[in-house]
Amino acid sequence: EFANEHTIIVADTIVVAVVGTLAATWLRGDWAEFPGKLKVLEIPRVGEAVEVIADGGADVVVTGLDLPDSRGVSTIQRLCDAGKDCPVIAMLNGTGNPADPETLLGHGVAAYLPNGVASDAVVSTIHGVVAWHRSTAGLRERAARLEAALEGCGDGLWDWDPDGARLHLSHRAAALLGRTPCDTSVPDEWWFGRILGDDSEVLLDRLNAHLEGTTKVFRCEHRVVDDAGRTRWILARGEAVRDLRGAVVRVAGTFTDISEQKRLEDELTYRALHDDLVALPNRVLFADRLERALLGISRGGGHPFAVLFIDFDDFKRVNDVYGHAGGDALLAEAARRVADLVRPGDTVSRLGGDEFGVLLSGVDQVGEAVHIAERILERLRAPHRVGSDDVVVTASIGIAMSSSGYTSGERLLHDADVAMYRAKATGRARCQVFDPSMHETAVRQLRLEAELRDAVGRRQFEVRYQPVVNLETGQVAGFEAMVRWRHPDRGLITPSEFLPAAESSGLIVPIGWWAIREACRQLSEWRRESPEAARIWVSVNASARVLLRAGVLPRLGGICRDFGLPPGVLHIEMTEHLMMEHGDTAMRRLEELRALGVGLCFDDFGSGCSSLGLLDQFRYDLLKIDPSLVWRTDEDNASSDVLTSMVRLADGLGMQAVAEGVETRTQAEALVSMNCPLAQGHWLSQPVTAERAIELLREPSPHWHLGVGMIER
């Protein structure tokens, strides 16, 4: 019945290629006795059969296993590889068969005929195999299309036989694993052996978890190494096929090459954790390494370390002069210099802007950290090439040691930052080791800034006026306006206590503008009340944050117009420090103020080494001589000579000299002997209220007149 049924299905002639003399002899006399059209081709050798199959000259192959040019499994393998559309039937025609039936079926045999089988069974088997092969041709075609589609999108198919320990691969899957495409059936050990490093353990763990039913789908990303030694990332996905008892029969799935995806992920991760400009770890990665280093210490397996916080001194000036491109070039070079000085196990990071951090691993002595910091300072101080210029910049470094018992990397970095600011406050271009007193100072600073912010809103500031006295006439020539803070609990606070906090917080801007406006308002009121006020001026110290901001000129002009003052009665005082830090920018602003008509005063002249050079660049109205030179006249004749020279220099340059800090009558008399025209200081008068100032303007103190025929005090 089976034969008749399939004879009806296979209506046309079946071409049977019988390979091998023994098989042909066995079957030759039996074909005509059975229904169905069978055309027999007798082929003695496998080589000839391969050509017939490749040309499509046979519908089915019946073969023995012991042939002149082939034997055993290799015979089956050659015939099966010759054409997928031509099924192979193996004849087991002897007791010494070189392969068992299960092995033959595993290598692609469609059926096998045992020794002594009846002729009708042979023909029925042939009909059945051909019928099954033709009826499943659509399935094979669809499978081929599916495989082509998957491989077209880069995926490869795999089928794993756990019991047989073999992996069957599509051509694409074999290529992904670096296997020769024509050899697509391999032992599973070959697959596992190609996996790189610890990835094989991860894959086996996940594969076993899936076989045990713990996971619904097997999924694992792993690296493989191909025959050429190249490493690529593979995403392996699959699902187990189970029998009715739940036992795993096979696992089938896909391989996807995710090397490019991994490369992009690595690139994104790198960019997220590194600074693009200097190619160093950024603040996020630096903080992570700090935390890991502290965690290692807490667990007893780590080593002590030090953290350096580096910040350039006045880096804004580089950007102002050379632009951000020039500043970036300098930062990149500075990063290379620092990285070259540290050891391979250390971490150098750009924390942001012109701030850098260094984690010095294995450093437990403060002296060693200081030594490295000083080397960095020296290396950074060497000229940097920016465009066609050699630019010299300095940096300040704060140091914090892990041995101080830190539990937070953020706190450790903060304390190194605090120490860096202390280094700046004590002169810059140096390093400073953190100690707890700095933290207390920083806390006080924050509290002071908060109180200052509140004071600005509540208008808790006052102005005191210190007379600048004409030593020849004994009259007030002008007043220096000095801001005082009327603290609700501490009373009147002098600028030396709160101005540094105002500068660092930016509150100096609203305070500075308030002081300028208040001084002009008061001068306007004096001019209305007393004719003597028409001949005096008022000076106000200007911070760089105020003086160099955009819009300062129209605002100053507007204030003078609001109070009906000519611009010349307002004097702006600036220090050598401002001129040195801001160079050409500050010089351009002075020219603009001169054009506006505002008086200009060089404050603290003689306190620095560049004062004379600055005088050569610009002419001021007043030249205020630093108090330190005035104080030394009591005991040092050489200082008196220097002071005399400064007074003559000012006169020769068309400026009036003002000696600051006069605290004794002896100093005042010495200034008169030097023909110094103007002076101010506590011996002459302390800063006073506006009411007392107008009284001194109307009735000068009698001991101010120290000219010819001095009036006794």
Side-chain angles (χ1 to χ4, degrees), residues 18-31 40 42 91 93:
V18 181
V19 185
T21 304
L22 184 60
T25 302
W26 184 26
L27 299 174
R28 185 177 293 119
D30 299 326
W31 304 115
V40 180
E42 295 185 18
M91 297 195 68
N93 48 2

Side-chain angles (χ1 to χ4, degrees), residues 183-330:
D183 188 5
T184 56
S185 180
V186 296
D188 55 13
E189 291 183 357
W190 177 89
W191 175 24
F192 302 144
R194 294 245 160 171
I195 299 174
L196 186 65
D198 296 338
D199 291 5
S200 59
E201 295 183 13
V202 176
L203 182 138
L204 289 173
D205 287 344
R206 295 187 181 182
L207 195 55
N208 288 328
H210 180 60
L211 295 178
E212 294 167 1
T214 305
T215 58
K216 185 177 180 181
V217 176
F218 161 69
R219 188 180 190 280
C220 182
E221 295 179 357
H222 63 85
R223 294 162 294 171
V224 296
V225 181
D226 62 17
D227 292 333
R230 295 185 298 261
T231 300
R232 60 165 57 113
W233 276 95
I234 298 294
L235 169 60
R237 289 172 289 195
E239 190 168 353
V241 178
R242 302 176 186 271
D243 60 19
L244 295 176
R245 294 172 298 175
V248 175
V249 178
R250 49 195 274 266
V251 181
T254 61
F255 288 142
T256 305
D257 187 346
I258 57 171
S259 300
E260 180 62 15
Q261 174 186 329
K262 283 293 185 180
R263 186 191 67 79
L264 292 174
E265 288 177 0
D266 290 344
E267 181 179 340
L268 289 174
T269 300
Y270 180 88
R271 296 184 67 177
L273 298 176
H274 290 77
D275 184 86
D276 289 338
L277 176 63
V278 298
L280 290 175
N282 61 14
R283 194 182 196 100
V284 174
L285 183 54
F286 189 76
D288 179 72
R289 292 185 179 176
L290 272 184
E291 294 294 348
R292 289 174 182 271
L294 285 175
L295 184 62
I297 292 175
S298 67
R299 291 178 174 176
H303 301 283
F305 61 91
V307 169
L308 310 184
F309 197 110
I310 306 171
D311 185 86
F312 284 94
D313 300 325
D314 190 29
F315 188 78
K316 182 179 180 299
R317 182 166 58 93
V318 177
N319 285 332
D320 289 343
V321 175
Y322 297 100
H324 287 284
D328 288 348
L330 192 151

Side-chain angles (χ1 to χ4, degrees), residues 340-342 370-380:
D340 287 344
L341 283 174
V342 301
V370 169
H371 174 68
I372 296 173
E374 289 176 344
R375 288 180 59 206
I376 291 174
L377 289 175
E378 181 181 0
R379 189 73 182 89
L380 292 177

Side-chain angles (χ1 to χ4, degrees), residues 548-570:
L548 302 182
R549 279 183 168 234
V552 64
L553 298 175
R555 188 166 183 178
L556 282 175
I559 291 174
C560 290
R561 287 193 299 273
D562 289 345
F563 296 110
L565 298 175
V569 300
L570 172 64

Side-chain angles (χ1 to χ4, degrees), residues 308-313 330 334 337-339 341-342 354 356 358 360 368-384 391-399 419-420 422-424 426-433:
L308 310 184
F309 197 110
I310 306 171
D311 185 86
F312 284 94
D313 300 325
L330 192 151
R337 293 184 185 185
V338 176
L341 283 174
V342 301
D354 60 326
F356 291 83
V358 182
L360 299 173
E368 184 179 358
V370 169
H371 174 68
I372 296 173
E374 289 176 344
R375 288 180 59 206
I376 291 174
L377 289 175
E378 181 181 0
R379 189 73 182 89
L380 292 177
R381 196 179 293 116
H384 297 257
V391 179
V392 176
V393 294
T394 61
S396 300
I397 299 180
I399 303 172
M420 180 273 295
R422 180 62 179 169
K424 285 186 179 291
T426 54
R428 302 186 174 191
R430 64 191 63 196
C431 62
Q432 182 74 52
V433 180

